[in-house]
Amino acid sequence: MSLNQRQQPLPTVAKHGLLMSSRASFSAAQPQGIVSSFLLSRSGLLSVLVLLLFLVVFVPLPGRRPMFALFSSSGDYGPVSRWKDYTLARAAASAARNGTLIVSAVSEPFLPLLNNWLISVARQKRQDQVLIFAEDYATLYEINRRWPRHAVLVQPAPDSQTAHNFGSQGFFNITSRRPRHLLDILELGYSVMYNDVDMVWVADPFRYLEGNHDVYFADDEVAVKPLNHSHDLPRPGTNGKTYVCSCMIFLRPTRGAKKALSSWIEEIQNQPWSENTHTNDQPAFNSALNKTAGEVDLYLLPQATFPPGGLYFRNGDWVERTRGLHAIVHNNYIVGLQNKIQRFKDYGLWLADNHTDESPLGRI
């Protein structure tokens, strides 16, 4: 409805005394004086304030939503207030398919990467089982406005204004929450695949989850492995540490998987971020897997199917030899949001500009 259409009833309302005193009458000979007297009167000022309030609440400025949309329970803008208290149990029940969820965690600056990842997931017909852990209210509202019931926020909500880079305290604050998110889902009885949003699916990864193991994970080493490499937890390097990636994980709701996640949470608490260490959640994940390996059924995913960015984007000969085997490409081994986007573009893996019709979120 246009502004002019909204304002048409006002003369009728005025006849009943809301815009002018019941004793006042308009004279064709004195229009300016009457209007001035009306505006200076108490009822006139009140009417002007009512009109201004009407315009602020119901008439949007260019590029902005009207204020009433923030509290509306229906309409194009969605019930924003509903999502503030949307529980994980309800969100998981809505999104799960065959007892399985696909999840990621994202803050507002990374919405373009999320959209790129979602398009690739949608191409494998898996988008309906995606649930996003929104790391701030802006992300929660934006996703559920466009795609209701597919985002949930777990308190506390960190700041959303900065695109935190790998190694920063903000990056640690967000990624350190990951095992708690995953453990909560397992406790609800669902299997769960976790992906970082700087990934792209080029095939359905579920076909490569062989067996019935507790925890599946990808290697982050760039050294080329044979195609028939072992699926056991990699042996520690010369520094005594393994280098497993915490960005692509599949877990079943088993006692072993829950034990691995609980150990991961403990390791993060024992390895807090500091100005000296600049740690992240991945060393803690590796420590947890090594400590629980005897009690948890672990499975290392095929390197050719789940390649790290340090291999896929830096070893063209290997990519050609393994073409047709890739399922999820991880855009790591590079720092910075815009750098990641540009590298995806350089390799033909940026879908968020020309294929937004395939995304549940549309264009962001």
Side-chain angles (χ1 to χ4, degrees):
M1 182 179 291
S2 69
L3 177 58
N4 289 334
Q5 289 173 318
R6 293 180 187 274
Q7 291 177 330
Q8 285 175 356
L10 291 180
T12 302
V13 174
K15 294 178 182 178
H16 296 281
L18 294 180
L19 294 183
M20 59 180 293
S21 169
S22 59
R23 297 181 180 180
S25 61
F26 282 94
S27 169
Q30 297 177 316
Q32 294 182 348
I34 294 176
V35 171
S36 299
S37 300
F38 167 70
L39 292 175
L40 292 175
S41 68
R42 180 179 299 176
S43 61
L45 289 174
L46 179 60
S47 298
V48 171
L49 289 175
V50 169
L51 177 59
L52 290 175
L53 181 61
F54 174 87
L55 293 174
V56 169
V57 173
F58 290 97
V59 180
L61 293 173
R64 298 186 63 181
R65 291 180 288 171
M67 186 177 294
F68 82 91
L70 298 176
F71 308 98
S72 172
S73 59
S74 62
D76 295 338
Y77 299 104
V80 169
S81 59
R82 175 192 306 174
W83 306 117
K84 182 176 181 181
D85 301 315
Y86 192 45
T87 65
L88 176 59
R90 289 183 61 194
S94 176
R97 300 292 184 273
N98 298 319
T100 301
L101 288 163
I102 302 167
V103 306
S104 192
V106 66
S107 58
E108 186 180 20
F110 289 90
L111 284 175
L113 273 180
L114 169 66
N115 213 24
N116 196 66
W117 173 74
L118 268 178
I119 294 170
S120 72
V121 174
R123 289 184 171 186
Q124 305 304 323
K125 312 301 182 185
R126 293 278 188 177
Q127 72 277 15
D128 288 343
Q129 64 191 111
V130 169
L131 176 62
I132 303 300
F133 281 98
E135 293 291 349
D136 49 70
Y137 283 113
T139 301
L140 176 75
Y141 296 158
E142 185 65 11
I143 293 174
N144 283 333
R145 180 177 73 85
R146 295 168 175 262
W147 193 31
R149 299 181 301 279
H150 283 273
V152 65
L153 181 143
V154 179
Q155 295 285 10
D159 171 53
S160 65
Q161 302 304 313
T162 303
H164 300 293
N165 289 328
F166 181 87
S168 68
Q169 185 172 11
F171 182 87
F172 174 80
N173 291 342
I174 291 177
T175 58
S176 63
R177 293 154 56 94
R178 183 182 308 170
R180 171 53 60 188
H181 294 334
L182 298 176
L183 182 57
D184 288 342
I185 290 176
L186 296 192
E187 294 291 359
L188 291 171
Y190 300 100
S191 295
V192 58
M193 175 179 285
Y194 176 85
N195 282 187
D196 273 359
V197 293
D198 62 343
M199 293 183 169
V200 167
W201 289 22
V202 294
D204 189 339
F206 282 88
R207 70 180 68 172
Y208 300 98
L209 303 179
E210 297 181 357
N212 194 33
H213 308 282
D214 295 328
V215 182
Y216 298 71
F217 48 86
D219 204 338
D220 214 21
E221 289 282 2
V222 299
V224 175
K225 296 177 180 292
L227 293 179
N228 62 344
H229 67 75
S230 170
H231 298 291
D232 294 335
L233 181 68
R235 299 176 64 86
T238 55
N239 60 359
K241 299 179 181 179
T242 53
Y243 204 58
V244 166
C245 186
S246 60
C247 305
M248 160 59 213
I249 310 170
F250 179 77
L251 307 110
R252 303 187 191 278
T254 61
R255 180 180 301 177
K258 294 175 186 178
K259 184 175 184 63
L261 289 176
S262 296
S263 178
W264 187 6
I265 293 170
E266 292 176 4
E267 291 297 313
I268 287 176
Q269 293 171 345
N270 294 332
Q271 301 177 28
W273 188 93
S274 71
E275 289 288 349
N276 294 325
T277 61
H278 287 201
T279 190
N280 58 81
D281 69 303
Q282 189 159 298
F285 181 60
N286 280 262
S287 295
L289 293 183
N290 280 275
K291 288 184 177 181
T292 61
E295 305 169 76
V296 182
D297 186 355
L298 304 175
Y299 185 87
L300 176 67
L301 292 161
Q303 182 190 54
T305 309
F306 300 88
L311 179 58
Y312 185 89
F313 295 108
R314 298 179 183 178
N315 192 330
D317 291 339
W318 177 87
V319 171
E320 287 301 319
R321 293 198 306 271
T322 58
R323 191 169 298 281
L325 300 178
H326 313 140
I328 295 181
V329 175
H330 189 192
N331 196 356
N332 61 345
Y333 282 82
I334 190 171
V335 177
L337 173 60
Q338 294 306 318
N339 291 333
K340 288 177 180 287
I341 291 175
Q342 186 58 53
R343 186 158 74 173
F344 269 149
K345 290 180 178 180
D346 292 342
Y347 284 81
L349 295 173
W350 185 250
L351 312 172
D353 287 341
N354 300 321
H355 301 280
T356 53
D357 58 315
E358 301 179 47
S359 170
L361 299 178
R363 180 173 293 277
I364 292 182

PDB file of all heavy atoms in Angstrom, residues 282-306:
ATOM      1  N   GLN A 282      41.556 -26.559  16.767  1.00  0.00           N
ATOM      2  CA  GLN A 282      42.053 -27.754  16.098  1.00  0.00           C
ATOM      3  C   GLN A 282      43.102 -28.530  16.889  1.00  0.00           C
ATOM      4  O   GLN A 282      43.021 -29.767  16.957  1.00  0.00           O
ATOM      5  CB  GLN A 282      42.581 -27.387  14.708  1.00  0.00           C
ATOM      6  CG  GLN A 282      42.931 -28.592  13.847  1.00  0.00           C
ATOM      7  CD  GLN A 282      42.960 -28.259  12.373  1.00  0.00           C
ATOM      8  OE1 GLN A 282      41.944 -27.860  11.804  1.00  0.00           O
ATOM      9  NE2 GLN A 282      44.117 -28.403  11.754  1.00  0.00           N
ATOM     10  N   PRO A 283      44.108 -27.877  17.506  1.00  0.00           N
ATOM     11  CA  PRO A 283      45.032 -28.644  18.346  1.00  0.00           C
ATOM     12  C   PRO A 283      44.318 -29.393  19.462  1.00  0.00           C
ATOM     13  O   PRO A 283      44.689 -30.535  19.794  1.00  0.00           O
ATOM     14  CB  PRO A 283      45.972 -27.566  18.892  1.00  0.00           C
ATOM     15  CG  PRO A 283      45.919 -26.470  17.891  1.00  0.00           C
ATOM     16  CD  PRO A 283      44.511 -26.459  17.393  1.00  0.00           C
ATOM     17  N   ALA A 284      43.295 -28.783  20.030  1.00  0.00           N
ATOM     18  CA  ALA A 284      42.531 -29.445  21.083  1.00  0.00           C
ATOM     19  C   ALA A 284      41.792 -30.663  20.525  1.00  0.00           C
ATOM     20  O   ALA A 284      41.671 -31.696  21.202  1.00  0.00           O
ATOM     21  CB  ALA A 284      41.546 -28.461  21.711  1.00  0.00           C
ATOM     22  N   PHE A 285      41.281 -30.562  19.298  1.00  0.00           N
ATOM     23  CA  PHE A 285      40.602 -31.689  18.664  1.00  0.00           C
ATOM     24  C   PHE A 285      41.574 -32.849  18.466  1.00  0.00           C
ATOM     25  O   PHE A 285      41.256 -34.012  18.759  1.00  0.00           O
ATOM     26  CB  PHE A 285      40.011 -31.239  17.330  1.00  0.00           C
ATOM     27  CG  PHE A 285      39.257 -32.300  16.584  1.00  0.00           C
ATOM     28  CD1 PHE A 285      38.147 -32.914  17.144  1.00  0.00           C
ATOM     29  CD2 PHE A 285      39.641 -32.671  15.301  1.00  0.00           C
ATOM     30  CE1 PHE A 285      37.431 -33.883  16.451  1.00  0.00           C
ATOM     31  CE2 PHE A 285      38.931 -33.636  14.599  1.00  0.00           C
ATOM     32  CZ  PHE A 285      37.831 -34.249  15.175  1.00  0.00           C
ATOM     33  N   ASN A 286      42.776 -32.537  17.978  1.00  0.00           N
ATOM     34  CA  ASN A 286      43.782 -33.581  17.787  1.00  0.00           C
ATOM     35  C   ASN A 286      44.162 -34.237  19.109  1.00  0.00           C
ATOM     36  O   ASN A 286      44.293 -35.463  19.199  1.00  0.00           O
ATOM     37  CB  ASN A 286      45.013 -32.995  17.101  1.00  0.00           C
ATOM     38  CG  ASN A 286      44.845 -32.850  15.601  1.00  0.00           C
ATOM     39  OD1 ASN A 286      45.294 -33.693  14.833  1.00  0.00           O
ATOM     40  ND2 ASN A 286      44.181 -31.806  15.171  1.00  0.00           N
ATOM     41  N   SER A 287      44.339 -33.440  20.143  1.00  0.00           N
ATOM     42  CA  SER A 287      44.675 -33.991  21.460  1.00  0.00           C
ATOM     43  C   SER A 287      43.565 -34.911  21.957  1.00  0.00           C
ATOM     44  O   SER A 287      43.823 -35.988  22.502  1.00  0.00           O
ATOM     45  CB  SER A 287      44.902 -32.863  22.468  1.00  0.00           C
ATOM     46  OG  SER A 287      46.031 -32.091  22.117  1.00  0.00           O
ATOM     47  N   ALA A 288      42.321 -34.489  21.763  1.00  0.00           N
ATOM     48  CA  ALA A 288      41.184 -35.289  22.221  1.00  0.00           C
ATOM     49  C   ALA A 288      41.127 -36.626  21.491  1.00  0.00           C
ATOM     50  O   ALA A 288      40.868 -37.672  22.107  1.00  0.00           O
ATOM     51  CB  ALA A 288      39.893 -34.509  22.022  1.00  0.00           C
ATOM     52  N   LEU A 289      41.360 -36.617  20.170  1.00  0.00           N
ATOM     53  CA  LEU A 289      41.321 -37.866  19.418  1.00  0.00           C
ATOM     54  C   LEU A 289      42.439 -38.804  19.862  1.00  0.00           C
ATOM     55  O   LEU A 289      42.227 -40.023  19.981  1.00  0.00           O
ATOM     56  CB  LEU A 289      41.430 -37.583  17.922  1.00  0.00           C
ATOM     57  CG  LEU A 289      40.251 -36.851  17.271  1.00  0.00           C
ATOM     58  CD1 LEU A 289      40.483 -36.713  15.763  1.00  0.00           C
ATOM     59  CD2 LEU A 289      38.930 -37.549  17.538  1.00  0.00           C
ATOM     60  N   ASN A 290      43.621 -38.263  20.085  1.00  0.00           N
ATOM     61  CA  ASN A 290      44.729 -39.101  20.533  1.00  0.00           C
ATOM     62  C   ASN A 290      44.477 -39.696  21.917  1.00  0.00           C
ATOM     63  O   ASN A 290      44.824 -40.851  22.185  1.00  0.00           O
ATOM     64  CB  ASN A 290      46.033 -38.294  20.535  1.00  0.00           C
ATOM     65  CG  ASN A 290      46.643 -38.172  19.146  1.00  0.00           C
ATOM     66  OD1 ASN A 290      47.364 -39.053  18.699  1.00  0.00           O
ATOM     67  ND2 ASN A 290      46.336 -37.079  18.448  1.00  0.00           N
ATOM     68  N   LYS A 291      43.863 -38.939  22.799  1.00  0.00           N
ATOM     69  CA  LYS A 291      43.622 -39.416  24.165  1.00  0.00           C
ATOM     70  C   LYS A 291      42.497 -40.445  24.232  1.00  0.00           C
ATOM     71  O   LYS A 291      42.475 -41.284  25.137  1.00  0.00           O
ATOM     72  CB  LYS A 291      43.299 -38.238  25.078  1.00  0.00           C
ATOM     73  CG  LYS A 291      44.502 -37.361  25.383  1.00  0.00           C
ATOM     74  CD  LYS A 291      44.150 -36.260  26.380  1.00  0.00           C
ATOM     75  CE  LYS A 291      45.389 -35.449  26.733  1.00  0.00           C
ATOM     76  NZ  LYS A 291      45.095 -34.372  27.720  1.00  0.00           N
ATOM     77  N   THR A 292      41.545 -40.377  23.294  1.00  0.00           N
ATOM     78  CA  THR A 292      40.392 -41.272  23.347  1.00  0.00           C
ATOM     79  C   THR A 292      40.432 -42.358  22.278  1.00  0.00           C
ATOM     80  O   THR A 292      39.473 -43.137  22.153  1.00  0.00           O
ATOM     81  CB  THR A 292      39.085 -40.465  23.191  1.00  0.00           C
ATOM     82  OG1 THR A 292      39.077 -39.808  21.914  1.00  0.00           O
ATOM     83  CG2 THR A 292      38.944 -39.430  24.298  1.00  0.00           C
ATOM     84  N   ALA A 293      41.517 -42.442  21.517  1.00  0.00           N
ATOM     85  CA  ALA A 293      41.575 -43.355  20.375  1.00  0.00           C
ATOM     86  C   ALA A 293      41.297 -44.800  20.765  1.00  0.00           C
ATOM     87  O   ALA A 293      40.691 -45.551  19.994  1.00  0.00           O
ATOM     88  CB  ALA A 293      42.928 -43.246  19.689  1.00  0.00           C
ATOM     89  N   GLY A 294      41.708 -45.202  21.951  1.00  0.00           N
ATOM     90  CA  GLY A 294      41.490 -46.591  22.372  1.00  0.00           C
ATOM     91  C   GLY A 294      40.057 -46.893  22.743  1.00  0.00           C
ATOM     92  O   GLY A 294      39.664 -48.075  22.820  1.00  0.00           O
ATOM     93  N   GLU A 295      39.264 -45.862  22.963  1.00  0.00           N
ATOM     94  CA  GLU A 295      37.877 -46.048  23.397  1.00  0.00           C
ATOM     95  C   GLU A 295      36.855 -45.604  22.353  1.00  0.00           C
ATOM     96  O   GLU A 295      35.659 -45.875  22.521  1.00  0.00           O
ATOM     97  CB  GLU A 295      37.632 -45.248  24.681  1.00  0.00           C
ATOM     98  CG  GLU A 295      38.608 -45.561  25.802  1.00  0.00           C
ATOM     99  CD  GLU A 295      38.482 -44.568  26.944  1.00  0.00           C
ATOM    100  OE1 GLU A 295      37.508 -44.700  27.703  1.00  0.00           O
ATOM    101  OE2 GLU A 295      39.347 -43.670  27.036  1.00  0.00           O
ATOM    102  N   VAL A 296      37.286 -44.928  21.315  1.00  0.00           N
ATOM    103  CA  VAL A 296      36.391 -44.366  20.305  1.00  0.00           C
ATOM    104  C   VAL A 296      36.736 -44.959  18.944  1.00  0.00           C
ATOM    105  O   VAL A 296      37.916 -45.078  18.591  1.00  0.00           O
ATOM    106  CB  VAL A 296      36.502 -42.827  20.261  1.00  0.00           C
ATOM    107  CG1 VAL A 296      35.536 -42.257  19.237  1.00  0.00           C
ATOM    108  CG2 VAL A 296      36.244 -42.234  21.638  1.00  0.00           C
ATOM    109  N   ASP A 297      35.739 -45.336  18.190  1.00  0.00           N
ATOM    110  CA  ASP A 297      35.932 -45.886  16.851  1.00  0.00           C
ATOM    111  C   ASP A 297      36.097 -44.724  15.868  1.00  0.00           C
ATOM    112  O   ASP A 297      35.121 -44.059  15.501  1.00  0.00           O
ATOM    113  CB  ASP A 297      34.728 -46.752  16.482  1.00  0.00           C
ATOM    114  CG  ASP A 297      34.915 -47.494  15.158  1.00  0.00           C
ATOM    115  OD1 ASP A 297      35.946 -47.265  14.484  1.00  0.00           O
ATOM    116  OD2 ASP A 297      34.022 -48.278  14.791  1.00  0.00           O
ATOM    117  N   LEU A 298      37.341 -44.477  15.427  1.00  0.00           N
ATOM    118  CA  LEU A 298      37.667 -43.334  14.589  1.00  0.00           C
ATOM    119  C   LEU A 298      37.868 -43.764  13.137  1.00  0.00           C
ATOM    120  O   LEU A 298      38.315 -44.884  12.863  1.00  0.00           O
ATOM    121  CB  LEU A 298      38.944 -42.663  15.100  1.00  0.00           C
ATOM    122  CG  LEU A 298      38.936 -42.211  16.564  1.00  0.00           C
ATOM    123  CD1 LEU A 298      40.311 -41.671  16.957  1.00  0.00           C
ATOM    124  CD2 LEU A 298      37.862 -41.163  16.806  1.00  0.00           C
ATOM    125  N   TYR A 299      37.580 -42.831  12.207  1.00  0.00           N
ATOM    126  CA  TYR A 299      37.719 -43.138  10.784  1.00  0.00           C
ATOM    127  C   TYR A 299      38.248 -41.919  10.050  1.00  0.00           C
ATOM    128  O   TYR A 299      37.594 -40.865   9.994  1.00  0.00           O
ATOM    129  CB  TYR A 299      36.367 -43.552  10.197  1.00  0.00           C
ATOM    130  CG  TYR A 299      36.425 -44.010   8.754  1.00  0.00           C
ATOM    131  CD1 TYR A 299      36.693 -45.349   8.438  1.00  0.00           C
ATOM    132  CD2 TYR A 299      36.203 -43.121   7.699  1.00  0.00           C
ATOM    133  CE1 TYR A 299      36.731 -45.771   7.110  1.00  0.00           C
ATOM    134  CE2 TYR A 299      36.241 -43.540   6.376  1.00  0.00           C
ATOM    135  CZ  TYR A 299      36.508 -44.871   6.086  1.00  0.00           C
ATOM    136  OH  TYR A 299      36.551 -45.300   4.785  1.00  0.00           O
ATOM    137  N   LEU A 300      39.447 -42.055   9.473  1.00  0.00           N
ATOM    138  CA  LEU A 300      40.038 -40.995   8.661  1.00  0.00           C
ATOM    139  C   LEU A 300      39.475 -41.073   7.248  1.00  0.00           C
ATOM    140  O   LEU A 300      39.590 -42.101   6.572  1.00  0.00           O
ATOM    141  CB  LEU A 300      41.562 -41.148   8.621  1.00  0.00           C
ATOM    142  CG  LEU A 300      42.317 -40.158   7.729  1.00  0.00           C
ATOM    143  CD1 LEU A 300      42.204 -38.737   8.285  1.00  0.00           C
ATOM    144  CD2 LEU A 300      43.786 -40.565   7.593  1.00  0.00           C
ATOM    145  N   LEU A 301      38.858 -40.001   6.791  1.00  0.00           N
ATOM    146  CA  LEU A 301      38.236 -39.969   5.470  1.00  0.00           C
ATOM    147  C   LEU A 301      39.292 -39.931   4.360  1.00  0.00           C
ATOM    148  O   LEU A 301      40.428 -39.493   4.588  1.00  0.00           O
ATOM    149  CB  LEU A 301      37.320 -38.746   5.365  1.00  0.00           C
ATOM    150  CG  LEU A 301      36.075 -38.805   6.250  1.00  0.00           C
ATOM    151  CD1 LEU A 301      35.479 -37.405   6.436  1.00  0.00           C
ATOM    152  CD2 LEU A 301      35.044 -39.766   5.672  1.00  0.00           C
ATOM    153  N   PRO A 302      38.944 -40.364   3.144  1.00  0.00           N
ATOM    154  CA  PRO A 302      39.913 -40.383   2.052  1.00  0.00           C
ATOM    155  C   PRO A 302      40.424 -38.978   1.718  1.00  0.00           C
ATOM    156  O   PRO A 302      39.641 -38.040   1.569  1.00  0.00           O
ATOM    157  CB  PRO A 302      39.111 -40.950   0.878  1.00  0.00           C
ATOM    158  CG  PRO A 302      37.959 -41.669   1.495  1.00  0.00           C
ATOM    159  CD  PRO A 302      37.632 -40.926   2.747  1.00  0.00           C
ATOM    160  N   GLN A 303      41.727 -38.853   1.593  1.00  0.00           N
ATOM    161  CA  GLN A 303      42.330 -37.550   1.288  1.00  0.00           C
ATOM    162  C   GLN A 303      41.862 -37.023  -0.064  1.00  0.00           C
ATOM    163  O   GLN A 303      41.582 -35.832  -0.214  1.00  0.00           O
ATOM    164  CB  GLN A 303      43.852 -37.665   1.295  1.00  0.00           C
ATOM    165  CG  GLN A 303      44.568 -36.353   1.033  1.00  0.00           C
ATOM    166  CD  GLN A 303      46.063 -36.542   0.794  1.00  0.00           C
ATOM    167  OE1 GLN A 303      46.464 -37.332  -0.065  1.00  0.00           O
ATOM    168  NE2 GLN A 303      46.875 -35.837   1.562  1.00  0.00           N
ATOM    169  N   ALA A 304      41.756 -37.907  -1.063  1.00  0.00           N
ATOM    170  CA  ALA A 304      41.362 -37.472  -2.399  1.00  0.00           C
ATOM    171  C   ALA A 304      39.917 -36.987  -2.439  1.00  0.00           C
ATOM    172  O   ALA A 304      39.544 -36.200  -3.308  1.00  0.00           O
ATOM    173  CB  ALA A 304      41.549 -38.615  -3.399  1.00  0.00           C
ATOM    174  N   THR A 305      39.107 -37.428  -1.491  1.00  0.00           N
ATOM    175  CA  THR A 305      37.696 -37.058  -1.459  1.00  0.00           C
ATOM    176  C   THR A 305      37.446 -35.798  -0.647  1.00  0.00           C
ATOM    177  O   THR A 305      36.553 -35.006  -0.958  1.00  0.00           O
ATOM    178  CB  THR A 305      36.862 -38.223  -0.886  1.00  0.00           C
ATOM    179  OG1 THR A 305      37.191 -39.426  -1.595  1.00  0.00           O
ATOM    180  CG2 THR A 305      35.383 -37.961  -1.013  1.00  0.00           C
ATOM    181  N   PHE A 306      38.259 -35.582   0.384  1.00  0.00           N
ATOM    182  CA  PHE A 306      38.116 -34.429   1.276  1.00  0.00           C
ATOM    183  C   PHE A 306      39.454 -33.684   1.371  1.00  0.00           C
ATOM    184  O   PHE A 306      40.079 -33.653   2.424  1.00  0.00           O
ATOM    185  CB  PHE A 306      37.655 -34.896   2.660  1.00  0.00           C
ATOM    186  CG  PHE A 306      36.335 -35.613   2.650  1.00  0.00           C
ATOM    187  CD1 PHE A 306      36.285 -36.984   2.438  1.00  0.00           C
ATOM    188  CD2 PHE A 306      35.153 -34.916   2.846  1.00  0.00           C
ATOM    189  CE1 PHE A 306      35.058 -37.661   2.418  1.00  0.00           C
ATOM    190  CE2 PHE A 306      33.934 -35.572   2.830  1.00  0.00           C
ATOM    191  CZ  PHE A 306      33.884 -36.945   2.605  1.00  0.00           C
TER     192      PHE A 306
END
